Structures are given as structure tokens and as C-alpha cells.
Amino acid sequence: MQQRAHPLVLQVFRHLPGATTRHGSKLGTVPTGAVLACAGALATAVLACAGGLAADTAGADTAGADTAGSACRDANLRPTVANLGAVDAATLCLVNKQRTARGLRPLHANRELGHVAASQVGSMVRRDYFADVGPSGRTPLSLVTVTRYPAHAAEVAVGQNIAWGTGSYTTPAHIVQEWMDSPPHREIMLSGEYRDAGVASTSAVPAVLDTSGRGATYVIEFGARL
């Protein structure tokens, strides 16, 4: 999902849910067959939804994940309660390796965006859903605009990628490779507009995904102050 607006514009969005249960590894913005319905959007605000889920690449992309994993320390860690900081740092490192390899500037770690990512990943596990937009209808943009991130900016651009996995598919290397293999997620990750990012992971997945809670969930927030 990508959103852009004047920081004072808080849009209200309604999520029309689709199926989100499947074993293995999955990316997200919007579940297959689902859409985001935008209500009350102003002319100065733009919403772009990266529609649809990437195909499940578990088992078909291990070599690519291993190659990416060699670029950054801790890229092949499986998230646990004790190592989430290292997992998050490795995820951002891998994203920046993909960007700089294509002549794009690396993203700066931003505390405010990191807090939003942590809020999103915690909410998904706690409230049992897997989507960019929470059950209350709050979007990544609405969460970012109430932080200090937009201070003194004329506009704010926000993007978000989410993913979950189980077993060996929970590492930063595999998650970033899956984002790269999914055109809508790749587009967000390689956008030249973004300057900052915040990553959060957790060693659990929403129960609705029918994995008995085992696995990991990731969120990365992208931002730019314009």
C-alpha cells in the first residue's frame, strides 16, 4: 500500500476483507479478491493500493534468498523474542542492498516509522488479522500522520509492505526476496521517492492464518517528507 497526503489530511478507509488463511509464506497488502474502498478522500490526497497477494514462493525461491542473505549480517536469522532487533536491522540492510544495487539511495532508519511498524505488526497478531488496514479502518497514513514524522512537511508519502512465514521461510533474506519477487511490493521497496523506513518483526503470526501461532510476521514502513 502507498499513500500520500498533506499531513493534516486524515482519510478514512474501509477494508473489504478477503480470505487470509494459507500455510507457508505470504506477502500482503490486500488479500486476493479484496479492495480498499476510500471514503472522504480530498482532492489533495492520493491513494495507490498495491492490489493482490504475491504468489506463494515457498520452496521455489530458496536460492535467491540465500544469495540475498549473504549480503547482510543476521540475514538468515529466524526471529525469536531475543533477536528481533537484529532481524529488523538485517531486513532494512537487505532492502538497502537491493536499492543501492539499482542506483537508488539507501533508506534511513526512522524511529517514528519503526514505532508505526511495531504497532502494525503487534496489532495483527493481537487482533488476529493480516492486512494493511486494521479492523478499525486505520491506515498506515493515518498512523504516521499522528506521529512527529510529518512535522514541518508540506506533504507526506507513506508505503507499507507486510509478510508472514513459517519454518525456514521466516528469515529476513527470504522475506525480502519474496517482496522482490512480487511486483507491487517490489515497486514500493524500490521507489525513489522514499527516504526513510522503519521495520518491525515478531516471532508469531495471527491465529487466523491457521499456523498455531508459529512463525513470524514482518512490517516495513516507507516514508518521505516532501
Side-chain angles (χ1 to χ4, degrees), residues 57-81:
T57 58
D61 204 29
T62 305
D66 289 343
T67 300
S70 65
C72 296
R73 180 180 179 180
D74 299 324
N76 292 307
L77 281 179
R78 297 189 188 186
T80 68
V81 173

mmCIF file of all heavy atoms in Angstrom, residues 57-81:
data_model
loop_
_atom_site.group_PDB
_atom_site.id
_atom_site.type_symbol
_atom_site.label_atom_id
_atom_site.label_comp_id
_atom_site.label_asym_id
_atom_site.label_seq_id
_atom_site.Cartn_x
_atom_site.Cartn_y
_atom_site.Cartn_z
ATOM 1 N N THR A 57 5.881 -18.316 -2.881
ATOM 2 C CA THR A 57 7.133 -18.755 -3.475
ATOM 3 C C THR A 57 7.899 -19.678 -2.550
ATOM 4 O O THR A 57 9.062 -19.981 -2.796
ATOM 5 C CB THR A 57 8.017 -17.540 -3.820
ATOM 6 O OG1 THR A 57 8.244 -16.788 -2.614
ATOM 7 C CG2 THR A 57 7.349 -16.680 -4.870
ATOM 8 N N ALA A 58 7.293 -20.119 -1.478
ATOM 9 C CA ALA A 58 7.977 -21.009 -0.541
ATOM 10 C C ALA A 58 8.446 -22.261 -1.272
ATOM 11 O O ALA A 58 7.691 -22.920 -1.961
ATOM 12 C CB ALA A 58 7.035 -21.398 0.600
ATOM 13 N N GLY A 59 9.751 -22.564 -1.106
ATOM 14 C CA GLY A 59 10.297 -23.764 -1.718
ATOM 15 C C GLY A 59 10.806 -23.529 -3.121
ATOM 16 O O GLY A 59 11.571 -24.320 -3.640
ATOM 17 N N ALA A 60 10.386 -22.427 -3.766
ATOM 18 C CA ALA A 60 10.797 -22.180 -5.146
ATOM 19 C C ALA A 60 11.841 -21.090 -5.226
ATOM 20 O O ALA A 60 12.382 -20.836 -6.282
ATOM 21 C CB ALA A 60 9.582 -21.778 -5.990
ATOM 22 N N ASP A 61 12.133 -20.430 -4.089
ATOM 23 C CA ASP A 61 12.986 -19.261 -4.145
ATOM 24 C C ASP A 61 14.107 -19.311 -3.130
ATOM 25 O O ASP A 61 14.667 -18.299 -2.764
ATOM 26 C CB ASP A 61 12.118 -18.022 -3.888
ATOM 27 C CG ASP A 61 12.722 -16.772 -4.468
ATOM 28 O OD1 ASP A 61 13.435 -16.885 -5.461
ATOM 29 O OD2 ASP A 61 12.468 -15.694 -3.914
ATOM 30 N N THR A 62 14.442 -20.478 -2.647
ATOM 31 C CA THR A 62 15.436 -20.607 -1.593
ATOM 32 C C THR A 62 16.800 -20.117 -2.040
ATOM 33 O O THR A 62 17.515 -19.459 -1.286
ATOM 34 C CB THR A 62 15.530 -22.070 -1.137
ATOM 35 O OG1 THR A 62 14.233 -22.510 -0.756
ATOM 36 C CG2 THR A 62 16.490 -22.204 0.031
ATOM 37 N N ALA A 63 17.179 -20.404 -3.271
ATOM 38 C CA ALA A 63 18.491 -19.985 -3.749
ATOM 39 C C ALA A 63 18.610 -18.483 -3.767
ATOM 40 O O ALA A 63 19.622 -17.908 -3.374
ATOM 41 C CB ALA A 63 18.744 -20.548 -5.153
ATOM 42 N N GLY A 64 17.541 -17.804 -4.224
ATOM 43 C CA GLY A 64 17.552 -16.347 -4.242
ATOM 44 C C GLY A 64 17.657 -15.779 -2.853
ATOM 45 O O GLY A 64 18.347 -14.793 -2.607
ATOM 46 N N ALA A 65 16.954 -16.389 -1.897
ATOM 47 C CA ALA A 65 17.008 -15.924 -0.521
ATOM 48 C C ALA A 65 18.408 -16.094 0.051
ATOM 49 O O ALA A 65 18.917 -15.238 0.768
ATOM 50 C CB ALA A 65 15.985 -16.680 0.321
ATOM 51 N N ASP A 66 19.065 -17.224 -0.241
ATOM 52 C CA ASP A 66 20.405 -17.461 0.272
ATOM 53 C C ASP A 66 21.390 -16.439 -0.285
ATOM 54 O O ASP A 66 22.284 -15.971 0.406
ATOM 55 C CB ASP A 66 20.873 -18.872 -0.093
ATOM 56 C CG ASP A 66 20.132 -19.937 0.705
ATOM 57 O OD1 ASP A 66 19.519 -19.567 1.728
ATOM 58 O OD2 ASP A 66 20.165 -21.111 0.295
ATOM 59 N N THR A 67 21.230 -16.103 -1.572
ATOM 60 C CA THR A 67 22.109 -15.115 -2.186
ATOM 61 C C THR A 67 21.951 -13.766 -1.516
ATOM 62 O O THR A 67 22.925 -13.089 -1.189
ATOM 63 C CB THR A 67 21.808 -14.990 -3.691
ATOM 64 O OG1 THR A 67 22.015 -16.262 -4.296
ATOM 65 C CG2 THR A 67 22.696 -13.955 -4.344
ATOM 66 N N ALA A 68 20.697 -13.360 -1.280
ATOM 67 C CA ALA A 68 20.453 -12.087 -0.608
ATOM 68 C C ALA A 68 20.974 -12.119 0.814
ATOM 69 O O ALA A 68 21.483 -11.133 1.333
ATOM 70 C CB ALA A 68 18.953 -11.777 -0.614
ATOM 71 N N GLY A 69 20.847 -13.282 1.463
ATOM 72 C CA GLY A 69 21.250 -13.397 2.850
ATOM 73 C C GLY A 69 22.739 -13.210 3.068
ATOM 74 O O GLY A 69 23.180 -12.886 4.161
ATOM 75 N N SER A 70 23.549 -13.433 2.036
ATOM 76 C CA SER A 70 24.990 -13.296 2.187
ATOM 77 C C SER A 70 25.418 -11.845 2.246
ATOM 78 O O SER A 70 26.571 -11.550 2.560
ATOM 79 C CB SER A 70 25.698 -13.995 1.019
ATOM 80 O OG SER A 70 25.403 -13.336 -0.206
ATOM 81 N N ALA A 71 24.520 -10.914 1.948
ATOM 82 C CA ALA A 71 24.881 -9.506 1.845
ATOM 83 C C ALA A 71 24.870 -8.778 3.182
ATOM 84 O O ALA A 71 25.524 -7.754 3.328
ATOM 85 C CB ALA A 71 23.942 -8.798 0.863
ATOM 86 N N CYS A 72 24.119 -9.251 4.153
ATOM 87 C CA CYS A 72 23.929 -8.533 5.413
ATOM 88 C C CYS A 72 24.047 -9.482 6.600
ATOM 89 O O CYS A 72 23.567 -10.615 6.552
ATOM 90 C CB CYS A 72 22.556 -7.861 5.441
ATOM 91 S SG CYS A 72 22.336 -6.582 4.187
ATOM 92 N N ARG A 73 24.634 -8.980 7.648
ATOM 93 C CA ARG A 73 24.749 -9.762 8.879
ATOM 94 C C ARG A 73 23.366 -10.102 9.419
ATOM 95 O O ARG A 73 22.447 -9.282 9.360
ATOM 96 C CB ARG A 73 25.527 -8.949 9.913
ATOM 97 C CG ARG A 73 25.729 -9.648 11.245
ATOM 98 C CD ARG A 73 26.505 -8.777 12.200
ATOM 99 N NE ARG A 73 26.694 -9.438 13.493
ATOM 100 C CZ ARG A 73 27.338 -8.885 14.518
ATOM 101 N NH1 ARG A 73 27.843 -7.672 14.402
ATOM 102 N NH2 ARG A 73 27.458 -9.548 15.645
ATOM 103 N N ASP A 74 23.197 -11.295 9.930
ATOM 104 C CA ASP A 74 21.962 -11.774 10.560
ATOM 105 C C ASP A 74 20.809 -11.952 9.567
ATOM 106 O O ASP A 74 19.663 -12.119 9.966
ATOM 107 C CB ASP A 74 21.505 -10.838 11.688
ATOM 108 C CG ASP A 74 22.532 -10.730 12.800
ATOM 109 O OD1 ASP A 74 23.187 -11.754 13.093
ATOM 110 O OD2 ASP A 74 22.695 -9.635 13.366
ATOM 111 N N ALA A 75 21.114 -11.945 8.268
ATOM 112 C CA ALA A 75 20.046 -12.051 7.272
ATOM 113 C C ALA A 75 19.352 -13.402 7.295
ATOM 114 O O ALA A 75 18.225 -13.523 6.822
ATOM 115 C CB ALA A 75 20.606 -11.796 5.875
ATOM 116 N N ASN A 76 20.005 -14.416 7.846
ATOM 117 C CA ASN A 76 19.412 -15.753 7.865
ATOM 118 C C ASN A 76 18.922 -16.174 9.247
ATOM 119 O O ASN A 76 18.672 -17.351 9.488
ATOM 120 C CB ASN A 76 20.413 -16.769 7.315
ATOM 121 C CG ASN A 76 20.664 -16.558 5.828
ATOM 122 O OD1 ASN A 76 19.723 -16.508 5.034
ATOM 123 N ND2 ASN A 76 21.922 -16.404 5.447
ATOM 124 N N LEU A 77 18.760 -15.195 10.128
ATOM 125 C CA LEU A 77 18.190 -15.479 11.443
ATOM 126 C C LEU A 77 16.700 -15.787 11.334
ATOM 127 O O LEU A 77 15.987 -15.162 10.543
ATOM 128 C CB LEU A 77 18.353 -14.273 12.377
ATOM 129 C CG LEU A 77 19.699 -14.031 13.036
ATOM 130 C CD1 LEU A 77 19.612 -12.773 13.898
ATOM 131 C CD2 LEU A 77 20.118 -15.224 13.874
ATOM 132 N N ARG A 78 16.247 -16.731 12.150
ATOM 133 C CA ARG A 78 14.816 -16.923 12.316
ATOM 134 C C ARG A 78 14.382 -16.110 13.535
ATOM 135 O O ARG A 78 14.982 -16.242 14.603
ATOM 136 C CB ARG A 78 14.489 -18.398 12.527
ATOM 137 C CG ARG A 78 14.847 -19.286 11.350
ATOM 138 C CD ARG A 78 14.301 -20.683 11.550
ATOM 139 N NE ARG A 78 14.789 -21.607 10.540
ATOM 140 C CZ ARG A 78 14.373 -22.860 10.420
ATOM 141 N NH1 ARG A 78 13.459 -23.335 11.267
ATOM 142 N NH2 ARG A 78 14.854 -23.646 9.478
ATOM 143 N N PRO A 79 13.385 -15.260 13.413
ATOM 144 C CA PRO A 79 13.012 -14.392 14.530
ATOM 145 C C PRO A 79 12.622 -15.157 15.786
ATOM 146 O O PRO A 79 11.888 -16.145 15.735
ATOM 147 C CB PRO A 79 11.812 -13.616 13.976
ATOM 148 C CG PRO A 79 11.998 -13.626 12.495
ATOM 149 C CD PRO A 79 12.593 -14.976 12.201
ATOM 150 N N THR A 80 13.152 -14.679 16.908
ATOM 151 C CA THR A 80 12.758 -15.149 18.232
ATOM 152 C C THR A 80 12.537 -13.915 19.092
ATOM 153 O O THR A 80 12.879 -12.786 18.696
ATOM 154 C CB THR A 80 13.841 -16.029 18.879
ATOM 155 O OG1 THR A 80 14.991 -15.212 19.187
ATOM 156 C CG2 THR A 80 14.261 -17.176 17.973
ATOM 157 N N VAL A 81 12.016 -14.101 20.282
ATOM 158 C CA VAL A 81 11.795 -12.965 21.178
ATOM 159 C C VAL A 81 13.105 -12.243 21.459
ATOM 160 O O VAL A 81 13.126 -11.013 21.623
ATOM 161 C CB VAL A 81 11.144 -13.445 22.494
ATOM 162 C CG1 VAL A 81 11.054 -12.310 23.497
ATOM 163 C CG2 VAL A 81 9.762 -14.022 22.221
#
